[in-house]
Amino acid sequence: MLTYIYIIAITAEAMSGALAAGRRNMDMFGVALIAFITALGGGTVRDLLLGNFPVGWTQHPPYIYLTIGAGLFTMLVARFMHHLHKVFLVLDAMGLIAFTVIGCNVALQLEYSTPVVIMAGMITGIFGGILRDILCQRVPVVLRHELYASVSMLVAMLYLLMEKLGINHDINLLAAFSFGLALRLAAIRWSWSLPVFSYQPGRWE
Amino acid sequence: MLTYIYIIAITAEAMSGALAAGRRNMDMFGVALIAFITALGGGTVRDLLLGNFPVGWTQHPPYIYLTIGAGLFTMLVARFMHHLHKVFLVLDAMGLIAFTVIGCNVALQLEYSTPVVIMAGMITGIFGGILRDILCQRVPVVLRHELYASVSMLVAMLYLLMEKLGINHDINLLAAFSFGLALRLAAIRWSWSLPVFSYQPGRWE
Amino acid sequence: MLTYIYIIAITAEAMSGALAAGRRNMDMFGVALIAFITALGGGTVRDLLLGNFPVGWTQHPPYIYLTIGAGLFTMLVARFMHHLHKVFLVLDAMGLIAFTVIGCNVALQLEYSTPVVIMAGMITGIFGGILRDILCQRVPVVLRHELYASVSMLVAMLYLLMEKLGINHDINLLAAFSFGLALRLAAIRWSWSLPVFSYQPGRWE
């Protein structure tokens, strides 16, 4: 179940990477690379930070092909994508939650402590997008707009709490997805966002 | 002793990260993340490069809370921070030196060769700031302004030399801090900087 | 043989890094660091992703000195470098191919699967330039201009194919270099490039 959602998730993330590359007029190769990094970069950063070798995608070549293929496919269909706007946002939200839960599971298996498990979930969820934005020269969008990283954090916390309470794993997954999806879509719908910190630079720094 | 200075150091670095995030109008979450990365990113990059797993902060959750807390606290007190300008510069300089010495020690314990030990010290000292500037979309300030990375390099060299000469560890630490702090503050006071390389791009590249 | 070419390659890459740093008015230290990262960053990223510790340059201090020295030397001779334009492009192309072949060999020895071996070659070939461009605040040039990353990919594929066919290693190397160099130089000469993806951002993302 989680595997299917994961496959949908990396496809959606790869497509968002391809669109960002397109805004920077990258060539086909750049599009493929950014798609790959957006989709699999979060898990890669998590594996490096946790010392979890070999890194995930090196053991699953189909994920490499899938993300690169999705990136190149996006070049063909980009002009129609605004029609798919709402579908895309739902897929992206599902991806965020799936990445978060998977990241938590990896850290749990390596027996890291609770705060590290939560951070592993969040890193898996948001770092693909952060790497995408660094490579495409923009301030990471996940740190500025509607609730996104916070959804990842709350989903990770809820998931961990339910695991510790010994609740059935399937019910736990269902709860994490229901809660996360509802929160993320509500945040988009009503533009919920965190307080913004605007600092005017002084002379001294 | 070094632990206390380290705690002051990561707090000061976290605050500098938060201010940089504030200039980019990031939300609370972005502020917390940039604070965390600025404070603990240098040590993380060092641990990854040296293959030193588990990465430091994953074993010390209080450092996670401290840096995130310092970042969020900065949002509240930012308007008063220019009054603390000079204190802040001293704390930042102490942090640079503490990070450098700690980075050298980690590489020494892993029995890397002298040039790698020096680089490990410098990476710990400056990479948090470099990651902060990449995420906040500016050319890394440590590579452009008054002596900063060079202070880290000279402190690392002095520290190593004295260690090899078998000088008492506490005296060595005191010397590294005195020398480093004096050099860094003098560099700020009299705007000492390294020669700048300005290259006008030709047609060909 | 490959070692000599590798030494030429990291020197050429270090110089390209120094020029990029010069465009951003970095100080001597920044020039040295960007030179080092441009030359050795691709191999470092590969080693981290493959879990290949200790990372290459930590075992070969002369490479550290060479790349930093080449970076600083570039500051002195930059004004004459446009005369060396064509030599430089050839050295850079040789570097790309040497990096690619070396990256493939590392992944082969660690017994990764074929697609990962090809990616290891490409990552070694292009990531130094990508890190350089991130630190110098520009959209990675290898993802936008004439065939570059694609040359790395095709060289990696050719090299692997010939290895699997059991062809003599020296002949294989010679073929990889002849093919790669011819393709890269032809791409520069006639401005061969991949299709570009230009995406006009809609309201919705």
Side-chain angles (χ1 to χ4, degrees):
Chain A
M1 180 63 191
L2 200 54
T3 305
Y4 287 112
I5 296 175
Y6 179 71
I7 287 172
I8 294 171
I10 59 176
T11 307
E13 294 304 311
M15 295 178 82
S16 96
L19 293 180
R23 291 184 192 189
R24 291 299 182 178
N25 303 315
M26 289 194 190
D27 65 22
M28 259 175 72
F29 199 98
V31 171
L33 185 74
I34 304 289
F36 172 77
I37 290 177
T38 307
L40 301 176
T44 302
V45 171
R46 176 204 63 219
D47 284 345
L48 294 180
L49 291 175
L50 300 186
N52 184 36
F53 297 102
V55 167
W57 57 265
T58 65
Q59 308 303 303
H60 300 283
Y63 294 159
I64 306 178
Y65 304 137
L66 174 64
T67 53
I68 291 176
L72 297 178
F73 178 71
T74 306
M75 292 176 68
L76 300 178
V77 298
R79 73 187 65 183
F80 310 113
M81 286 199 61
H82 60 280
H83 296 303
L84 299 173
H85 175 190
K86 285 181 187 168
V87 178
F88 201 76
L89 284 177
V90 174
L91 294 182
D92 180 68
M94 287 180 70
L96 176 65
I97 301 162
F99 283 4
T100 302
V101 168
I102 289 168
C104 288
N105 283 339
V106 170
L108 277 175
Q109 272 166 24
L110 297 169
E111 301 190 346
Y112 277 97
S113 61
T114 303
V116 177
V117 170
I118 293 172
M119 292 197 68
M122 289 166 49
I123 288 167
T124 312
I126 69 174
F127 251 83
I130 289 179
L131 292 175
R132 173 198 65 206
D133 290 345
I134 290 174
L135 287 165
C136 294
Q137 285 254 64
R138 51 180 185 180
V139 173
V141 75
V142 300
L143 307 178
R144 290 187 306 154
H145 284 189
E146 304 96 356
L147 298 188
Y148 191 89
S150 344
V151 173
S152 174
M153 187 176 70
L154 293 173
V155 165
M157 285 172 162
L158 177 68
Y159 179 75
L160 266 189
L161 179 69
M162 293 181 79
E163 283 285 310
K164 294 216 170 162
L165 292 176
I167 289 170
N168 176 286
H169 188 70
D170 288 347
I171 293 178
N172 192 348
L173 270 184
L174 194 69
F177 270 93
S178 311
F179 167 73
L181 211 52
L183 180 60
R184 172 67 184 144
L185 296 180
I188 296 171
R189 176 68 185 78
W190 290 290
S191 298
W192 291 348
S193 55
L194 291 175
V196 162
F197 176 37
S198 292
Y199 178 68
Q200 304 302 321
R203 272 187 66 249
W204 60 275
E205 199 208 23
Chain B
M1 181 64 193
L2 200 54
T3 304
Y4 288 111
I5 297 176
Y6 178 72
I7 287 172
I8 295 171
I10 59 176
T11 307
E13 294 303 312
M15 294 178 81
S16 96
L19 292 181
R23 292 186 191 189
R24 293 297 182 181
N25 305 314
M26 289 194 191
D27 65 23
M28 261 175 70
F29 199 98
V31 171
L33 184 74
I34 304 288
F36 172 77
I37 290 177
T38 307
L40 300 175
T44 302
V45 171
R46 176 206 64 221
D47 284 344
L48 294 181
L49 291 176
L50 301 184
N52 184 37
F53 296 103
V55 166
W57 57 264
T58 63
Q59 307 303 302
H60 301 283
Y63 294 160
I64 305 178
Y65 304 136
L66 175 64
T67 54
I68 289 176
L72 297 179
F73 177 71
T74 306
M75 291 176 68
L76 300 177
V77 299
R79 72 187 66 183
F80 311 112
M81 285 199 62
H82 61 280
H83 296 303
L84 300 172
H85 175 190
K86 284 180 189 168
V87 178
F88 201 77
L89 285 176
V90 174
L91 294 181
D92 180 68
M94 288 180 68
L96 176 65
I97 301 162
F99 283 5
T100 302
V101 168
I102 289 168
C104 289
N105 283 339
V106 170
L108 278 173
Q109 271 167 24
L110 298 169
E111 302 191 343
Y112 278 96
S113 62
T114 302
V116 177
V117 171
I118 294 171
M119 292 195 71
M122 291 166 50
I123 288 167
T124 312
I126 68 174
F127 252 83
I130 290 179
L131 292 176
R132 173 198 63 207
D133 291 346
I134 289 174
L135 286 166
C136 294
Q137 284 254 61
R138 50 181 185 181
V139 173
V141 74
V142 301
L143 307 177
R144 291 187 305 156
H145 285 188
E146 307 96 358
L147 298 188
Y148 192 90
S150 342
V151 173
S152 175
M153 186 175 70
L154 293 173
V155 165
M157 285 172 163
L158 177 68
Y159 180 75
L160 266 190
L161 180 68
M162 292 180 79
E163 282 285 311
K164 295 217 171 163
L165 293 175
I167 289 169
N168 175 285
H169 188 71
D170 288 346
I171 293 179
N172 192 348
L173 269 184
L174 195 68
F177 269 91
S178 311
F179 168 74
L181 210 52
L183 181 60
R184 172 67 183 143
L185 295 179
I188 294 171
R189 174 70 185 77
W190 292 289
S191 297
W192 291 347
S193 56
L194 290 175
V196 163
F197 176 39
S198 290
Y199 178 69
Q200 305 301 323
R203 276 186 59 252
W204 60 274
E205 198 207 18
Chain C
M1 181 62 192
L2 198 55
T3 305
Y4 287 112
I5 296 176
Y6 178 71
I7 287 171
I8 294 172
I10 59 176
T11 307
E13 294 303 311
M15 295 178 80
S16 95
L19 293 180
R23 292 184 190 188
R24 292 298 184 179
N25 304 315
M26 289 193 190
D27 66 22
M28 260 176 71
F29 199 98
V31 171
L33 184 74
I34 304 287
F36 171 78
I37 290 178
T38 308
L40 300 175
T44 302
V45 172
R46 174 205 65 219
D47 284 344
L48 293 181
L49 291 176
L50 301 185
N52 183 38
F53 296 102
V55 166
W57 58 265
T58 64
Q59 307 303 301
H60 301 282
Y63 293 159
I64 305 178
Y65 304 137
L66 175 63
T67 53
I68 289 176
L72 298 178
F73 178 72
T74 306
M75 290 175 69
L76 301 177
V77 299
R79 72 188 65 183
F80 310 112
M81 285 199 64
H82 61 280
H83 296 302
L84 299 173
H85 174 191
K86 284 180 188 169
V87 178
F88 202 78
L89 285 176
V90 174
L91 294 181
D92 180 70
M94 287 179 69
L96 176 65
I97 301 162
F99 282 4
T100 302
V101 168
I102 289 167
C104 288
N105 284 338
V106 170
L108 277 173
Q109 272 165 25
L110 296 170
E111 303 190 342
Y112 277 96
S113 63
T114 302
V116 177
V117 171
I118 293 172
M119 292 197 70
M122 291 167 49
I123 288 167
T124 313
I126 69 174
F127 251 84
I130 289 178
L131 292 175
R132 174 198 64 207
D133 291 346
I134 290 174
L135 285 165
C136 294
Q137 283 255 64
R138 51 180 185 180
V139 174
V141 74
V142 301
L143 306 178
R144 289 188 304 155
H145 284 189
E146 306 96 358
L147 298 188
Y148 192 89
S150 343
V151 173
S152 175
M153 186 175 71
L154 293 173
V155 166
M157 285 172 162
L158 177 68
Y159 180 75
L160 265 191
L161 180 69
M162 292 180 79
E163 282 286 309
K164 293 218 170 161
L165 293 176
I167 289 170
N168 176 286
H169 188 72
D170 288 347
I171 293 179
N172 192 347
L173 269 185
L174 195 69
F177 270 91
S178 311
F179 167 73
L181 211 52
L183 180 60
R184 171 69 183 142
L185 296 178
I188 294 170
R189 175 70 185 77
W190 291 289
S191 298
W192 292 348
S193 56
L194 291 175
V196 162
F197 175 39
S198 292
Y199 177 69
Q200 306 302 322
R203 275 186 64 252
W204 61 276
E205 198 206 23

